[in-house]
Amino acid sequence: MSRIFLSPPHMSGKEQQYIAEVFESNYIAPLGAFVEHFEKSICAYTGVKHAVATNTATAALHLALRVLGIGAGDYVLSSSFTFIGSVNAILYQNALPIFVDSDESWNLSPVLLQKAIAKAPKKPKALIVTHLYGQMAKMSEIMEICKNEDIYVIEDAAESLGATLREEQSGTFGDMGVFSFNGNKILTTSGGGMLVSDNAALIAKAKFLATQAKEDKPFYEHKEYGYNYRMSNVLAAIGVAQMEVLDERVRRRREIFDLYSQRLSAYDEIALMPEIHGSSGNRWLTTLTLEHTDPSRVIEALENENIESRPLWKPMHLQPLFKEALRVENGISQKLFETGVCLPSGSNMSDEDVDCVCKVMERVLK
Ligand SMILES: *Cc1c(COP(=O)(O)O)cnc(C)c1O
């Protein structure tokens, strides 16, 4: 039996044709027509005004902090229940994270956010909020708090491309948003990211910094330091082809979630990740918690059948790396981590694959 992966790449079929066009143009470089096309297609899909394609979402987050003027000694609020890629950029800037725990949405708690702001030794300059597993965080409340407190909002929408809250796309609520096209995301370019904003000046500055901060001169002049963070035209060609099927991918991921939800509905101990009112997540991964069963038993039983599954993210405030970091916690993300499982959720999974996963789960849970 072939392995069922957690979230493998799912090509549209057009990728190689577009890559062939890149080779014909010979723009095998971190610039070219497909890079611009990819940026435009993200703008068209999400409704954001400006975008810059980067080699990773981690790089895009780093650029966001740089262009917003966050530096050494500044405090940056962050979802604690997230992946490390969300917060590494804070360290690159020698800034100080303050981790905010989750609420019943699994995402950042607006109540604890307010507490974290009050607790900070000096006013935090920015918040990085993650839409975990493709499900929307409470952006209305979060934006209101940050507007009142004059704090920049950066959305880590690495996992949530295509998710909406009141018909508005994730990544477009804050001052800046970030998407990832890493190998396991809903769309992939093998590796890649995108930084978006309605603010033209911020994106222009990010593009400049991502291109070694080279001044607009006929020779090489530099007034500040930059990075080599731009996306390859070859990979952008994959991205353009992937964007053409984004709606289909979201639809299928949501369908897989519904299949699991129906199949496992008899088990009272299972709680699936919720969806906040007015939102529609992309259901990047189907995730759930188990009230009585140790999740490692499910993960092991699946692995024995050559099926990949994983624990939920380990919260940042529990990471050895961040043992000194400030935090406002309530035990919720820790409990989620201790009781949760991510099930295989790739858009190229068949209904039969979902059935296989559920049969194994039923054996363990009974
Ligand atoms: C994948 C991911 C990232 C990092 O994306 P890369 O493109 O791999 O750098 C950041 N944050 C979250 C929440 C992610 O899931």
Side-chain angles (χ1 to χ4, degrees):
M1 206 181 82
S2 64
R3 184 164 175 78
I4 300 177
F5 288 98
L6 193 73
S7 180
H10 186 184
M11 294 297 107
S12 71
K14 287 275 197 70
E15 287 81 3
Q16 284 175 313
Q17 180 194 322
Y18 293 169
I19 290 171
E21 288 176 31
V22 170
F23 276 70
E24 278 157 34
S25 75
N26 206 32
Y27 271 88
I28 307 190
L31 80 172
F34 274 101
V35 174
E36 282 163 40
H37 191 156
F38 190 26
E39 290 165 349
K40 287 206 174 99
S41 68
I42 280 283
C43 290
Y45 189 93
T46 63
V48 79
K49 293 204 182 98
H50 306 281
V52 54
T54 56
N55 54 2
T56 64
T58 305
L61 282 161
H62 189 194
L63 292 169
L65 292 178
R66 256 303 285 277
V67 299
L68 291 172
I70 284 110
D74 290 334
Y75 285 97
V76 178
L77 300 148
S78 168
S79 302
S80 187
F81 198 32
T82 189
F83 170 62
I84 188 79
S86 187
V87 299
N88 269 332
I90 300 172
L91 306 185
Y92 302 165
Q93 284 303 96
N94 292 312
L96 302 158
I98 304 177
F99 295 113
V100 182
D101 213 328
S102 303
D103 64 14
E104 80 296 336
S105 71
W106 293 30
N107 277 310
L108 181 130
S109 157
V111 174
L112 292 195
L113 175 63
Q114 195 77 68
K115 283 195 181 145
I117 295 166
K119 181 177 171 175
K122 66 177 185 193
K123 194 174 82 83
K125 283 201 178 158
L127 162 71
I128 300 176
V129 55
T130 301
H131 304 296
L132 210 65
Y133 301 117
Q135 298 296 101
M136 291 295 309
K138 293 180 174 169
M139 290 313 290
S140 310
E141 295 87 336
I142 291 166
M143 288 308 297
E144 196 182 317
I145 292 169
C146 290
K147 215 165 257 161
N148 287 340
E149 302 280 352
D150 198 22
I151 292 170
Y152 291 122
V153 176
I154 301 163
E155 285 176 82
D156 182 345
E159 302 174 357
S160 66
L161 180 61
T164 60
L165 175 61
R166 291 184 310 275
E167 317 279 302
E168 258 190 78
Q169 291 283 326
S170 73
T172 67
F173 290 81
D175 297 280
M176 308 198 88
V178 167
F179 299 109
S180 172
F181 303 95
N182 194 21
N184 60 353
K185 297 299 188 328
I186 190 159
L187 301 186
T188 182
T189 58
S190 77
M194 191 77 71
L195 177 63
V196 302
S197 177
D198 283 337
N199 184 322
L202 288 179
I203 294 296
K205 183 75 197 274
K207 199 175 281 191
F208 165 78
L209 291 176
T211 325
Q212 305 283 24
K214 180 193 172 300
E215 296 293 329
D216 190 16
K217 293 262 170 76
F219 48 89
Y220 287 86
E221 179 154 292
H222 303 277
K223 294 180 181 160
E224 56 188 316
Y225 72 92
Y227 315 93
N228 187 359
Y229 275 173
R230 289 289 269 154
M231 178 182 274
S232 156
N233 199 37
V234 182
L235 302 188
I238 301 175
V240 169
Q242 289 273 284
M243 282 302 289
E244 292 173 7
V245 293
L246 176 54
D247 279 333
E248 274 171 59
R249 298 296 184 257
V250 172
R251 204 177 315 127
R252 182 60 185 159
R253 296 244 182 192
R254 289 186 62 84
E255 217 167 75
I256 288 165
F257 172 83
D258 289 340
L259 284 172
Y260 278 127
S261 166
Q262 285 155 23
R263 264 302 284 277
L264 301 169
S265 62
Y267 297 90
D268 288 343
E269 73 160 308
I270 290 182
L272 292 146
M273 183 175 183
E275 197 156 64
I276 63 165
H277 181 72
S279 77
S280 180
N282 70 11
R283 292 291 182 192
W284 171 54
L285 296 182
T286 291
T287 53
L288 52 81
T289 54
L290 299 163
E291 202 171 337
H292 312 299
T293 310
D294 183 344
S296 65
R297 285 186 50 218
V298 171
I299 292 169
E300 271 168 38
L302 289 168
E303 191 54 51
N304 288 340
E305 302 295 329
N306 204 15
I307 298 169
E308 186 186 22
S309 63
R310 294 216 190 133
L312 299 184
W313 299 126
K314 181 172 181 178
M316 292 303 121
H317 72 271
L318 301 178
Q319 299 290 350
L321 175 63
F322 293 122
K323 60 179 185 295
E324 308 289 337
L326 293 174
R327 76 274 316 277
V328 182
E329 61 183 306
N330 55 13
I332 290 185
S333 64
Q334 177 166 5
K335 182 88 193 292
L336 290 168
F337 167 61
E338 286 165 0
T339 59
V341 184
C342 303
L343 295 179
S345 309
S347 48
N348 41 9
M349 269 179 95
S350 66
D351 290 10
E352 290 70 37
D353 291 337
V354 176
D355 187 60
C356 280
V357 176
C358 290
K359 282 201 173 107
V360 177
M361 302 262 306
E362 283 160 0
R363 267 204 325 265
V364 180
L365 296 180
K366 111 180 111 205

